[in-house]
Amino acid sequence: MKIYIDGEFYEKADAKISVFDHGLLYGDGIFEGIRFYNGRVFRLDEHIHRLFLSAKAILLDIGMTAEAIIEAVLETIRRNGLTDGYVRLVVTRGEGSLGLNPYLCPKASVIVIASTIQLYAEEKYTNGLILATCSTRRPAPAALSPAVKSLNYLNNVMAKVEAIAAGAEEGLMLNEQGYVAECTGDNIFLVTKGVISTPPVSAGSLDGITREVMFEIAAEFGIPLVEQDMTRYEVYTADECFLTGTAAEVIPAVVVDRRNIGDGKPGPITLRFIERFREIVATTGTPI
Ligand code: PXG
């Protein structure tokens, strides 16, 4: 495996960063998870755009142009000889002193790992996931904006731990007001009486790239998709539920807090969205 760090490629065993990197010391940094299929990187420009928005929000100078980062991502995939897989692109604040002050970190570090990822067994895409609501809330926007794809995922990690402890595979996360935000690494969609709904980003969810693709597919199919505040009641009483994320892709959820969603099987609209999503990812993207 060849890993990109700041313009150089390293073998996995040698791919190391400083223990004084503020990405490690304070979670001070940002990342993107990007998939590639059939020799093309899916929505690469959108991921890089979101990375730069996250960087701007936390006042992080990446020190590279978007074009240079795109080339680093593509070159890392090429050097690993992969056609299908997952890229983890990480930008840390870089090496600094043992103090919070980011201005004492002269240079950000850019890391690109190209590998594969399988979050859930293939069987889950046909049978669906079990969800449980977590007591760990999404952070309030006044704390750390949930729109920043930062290296602070401890809140999500703790929510995932709760979900697993409850015998579920993924955790449903609410915001401070008790409205549904998203899951620990994916956005959530409901289908009720033929209408699809998803929480607005302002409810504390990430502006997911896969989420955006759902709007395109809905428009193509002529199925209404609305952004709506939702409580657990709307989740429990929905006909269908599915999650979206780069790592998870589009996956049905069939049980939430021990209640079957609809009849407890993936619904027809969910299955159509999964099928169409797979066509889109297999046929579009930036050539490697
Ligand atoms: N919400 C959160 C909190 C995420 O981290 C998504 C939604 C989906 O966004 P995209 O743009 O990927 O459609 C994410 C991103 C994991 C894992 O191991 C998942 C993500 C990131 C890092 C790790 O499950 N998903």
Side-chain angles (χ1 to χ4, degrees):
M1 187 189 276
K2 298 274 185 211
I3 293 161
Y4 173 101
I5 305 175
D6 297 330
E8 308 280 344
F9 286 91
Y10 300 88
E11 283 302 331
K12 185 175 174 182
D14 304 319
K16 293 175 180 167
I17 60 159
S18 167
V19 294
F20 289 92
D21 192 303
H22 281 209
L24 174 69
L25 291 175
Y26 302 112
D28 187 355
I30 53 178
F31 76 102
E32 283 292 323
I34 308 169
R35 267 198 196 257
F36 49 100
Y37 302 86
N38 266 347
R40 294 160 183 260
V41 184
F42 189 60
R43 306 277 157 131
L44 181 55
D45 292 345
E46 287 85 344
H47 281 286
I48 303 304
H49 180 65
R50 187 171 66 186
L51 181 82
F52 274 83
L53 295 182
S54 292
K56 188 162 192 183
I58 70 161
L59 224 103
L60 173 65
D61 177 6
I62 297 177
M64 287 172 77
T65 62
E67 292 69 31
I69 292 190
I70 286 172
E71 188 47 37
V73 167
L74 295 172
E75 185 57 21
T76 306
I77 299 171
R78 284 183 210 122
R79 295 227 183 179
N80 286 280
L82 297 167
T83 56
D84 291 80
Y86 178 85
V87 164
R88 179 60 57 90
L89 168 59
V90 182
V91 185
T92 74
R93 187 75 67 178
E95 205 174 328
S97 62
L98 292 177
L100 287 180
N101 189 350
Y103 294 106
L104 299 177
C105 302
K107 197 178 167 299
S109 266
V110 178
I111 300 162
V112 187
I113 307 166
S115 186
T116 54
I117 192 169
Q118 189 178 17
L119 279 196
Y120 303 112
E122 184 53 35
E123 169 259 323
K124 297 292 169 193
Y125 291 83
T126 41
N127 296 334
L129 290 178
I130 296 172
L131 308 185
T133 305
C134 307
S135 59
T136 305
R137 301 293 170 102
R138 288 292 286 159
L144 170 65
S145 170
V148 174
K149 210 163 157 51
S150 84
L151 296 181
N152 286 265
Y153 259 56
L154 201 47
N155 144 270
N156 303 52
V157 172
M158 291 300 106
K160 189 88 182 182
V161 164
E162 279 190 63
I164 294 166
E169 288 143 325
E170 181 51 305
L172 181 67
M173 299 187 75
L174 311 178
N175 64 21
E176 294 252 287
Q177 286 73 42
Y179 290 100
V180 173
E182 61 181 341
C183 291
T184 71
D186 358 80
N187 292 109
I188 185 166
F189 291 78
L190 304 178
V191 184
T192 307
K193 292 191 187 131
V195 176
I196 308 176
S197 58
T198 191
V201 169
S202 58
S205 43
L206 187 76
D207 192 359
I209 308 264
T210 321
R211 177 183 187 272
E212 194 56 40
V213 180
M214 297 304 107
F215 283 86
E216 295 167 19
I217 297 177
E220 208 181 288
F221 287 168
I223 300 174
L225 196 178
V226 294
E227 290 186 309
Q228 212 162 58
D229 275 327
M230 53 179 77
T231 66
R232 276 174 290 177
Y233 174 82
E234 280 78 38
V235 181
Y236 296 157
T237 58
D239 300 321
E240 302 181 29
C241 176
F242 60 92
L243 312 182
T244 68
T246 298
E249 301 176 291
V250 184
I251 189 159
V254 292
V255 173
V256 180
D257 299 338
R258 303 193 181 185
R259 293 144 172 101
N260 279 347
I261 303 301
D263 61 3
K265 297 195 178 68
I269 293 181
T270 299
L271 295 174
R272 278 182 76 193
F273 271 62
I274 291 173
E275 189 189 357
R276 183 67 189 125
F277 178 75
R278 290 183 168 176
E279 284 169 11
I280 295 172
V281 297
T283 54
T284 60
T286 307
I288 295 162

